[in-house]
Structure formats: structure tokens, C-alpha cells
Amino acid sequence: MMIPIVQYRRPLMLVLVVLLLNAALILAFVLVPSMHFELPAAVNTNLHTLFETASIVVSILVFSAGWFTFSRGGAQQCRAALQCLPCCGHS
């Protein structure tokens, strides 16, 4: 049984809006010279450690969600996990 594409319209629009907002923010930082700044080394190191830890936590959550989905069995759960897989590589 196929799931109608209409059910995915709202989440896809939400993802598109978030991506466009992120792109606008990045363009603002790149194109506006007054937004260019450098952080002190101590702050930069602390932020790097914080963001790296957050990315490790997110990757563990993605792995555990995939592990749980595949361990439950069934074609529906495996299909959902495979459809989400391409989004996991963009970090």
C-alpha cells in the first residue's frame, strides 16, 4: 500500500522554509562586510568543542533511531528509515 504524496506536502514545505532561512542567514554573513568578525582563540575553542559534542550527540540519536527502526522489522518501518537516510548525511 502506497502512502499518498499529499501527506508529505506540509513537512516538505516546512523543511524548504527552514533551508531557505538558513541560506538567507549564511548569505547575510557572507555578503555584509560589517558582519565579518573573529572570535578570540579561547572562545573559538570552546564553541568548537560545544558544536562538535552536539554533532556527536545528534549522530548517536540518528544511529539509535535507525537501529530501533530496523530492529522492529516489517517493511513499513524499513521503508521509512531508508527514505530518511539521504537526509542524515547533511551536517
Side-chain angles (χ1 to χ4, degrees):
M1 180 169 119
M2 293 285 293
I3 299 174
I5 194 77
V6 178
Q7 291 181 352
Y8 295 114
R9 185 180 197 100
R10 187 169 183 212
L12 286 175
M13 292 302 288
L14 179 64
V15 168
L16 180 64
V17 167
V18 169
L19 286 175
L20 288 175
L21 287 174
N22 285 336
L25 185 65
I26 290 171
L27 281 175
F29 275 109
V30 170
L31 297 177
V32 178
S34 63
M35 292 184 136
H36 296 183
F37 59 90
E38 287 189 27
L39 296 173
V43 175
N44 193 16
T45 304
N46 289 336
L47 282 177
H48 175 79
T49 303
L50 176 72
F51 290 142
E52 188 169 355
T53 304
S55 71
I56 291 169
V57 168
V58 168
S59 67
I60 290 171
L61 290 173
V62 168
F63 175 78
S64 61
W67 187 272
F68 178 74
T69 300
F70 282 115
S71 70
R72 298 272 302 191
Q76 187 69 24
Q77 287 89 1
C78 292
R79 192 177 313 119
L82 288 175
Q83 288 171 348
C84 294
L85 190 62
C87 299
C88 295
H90 301 284
S91 59

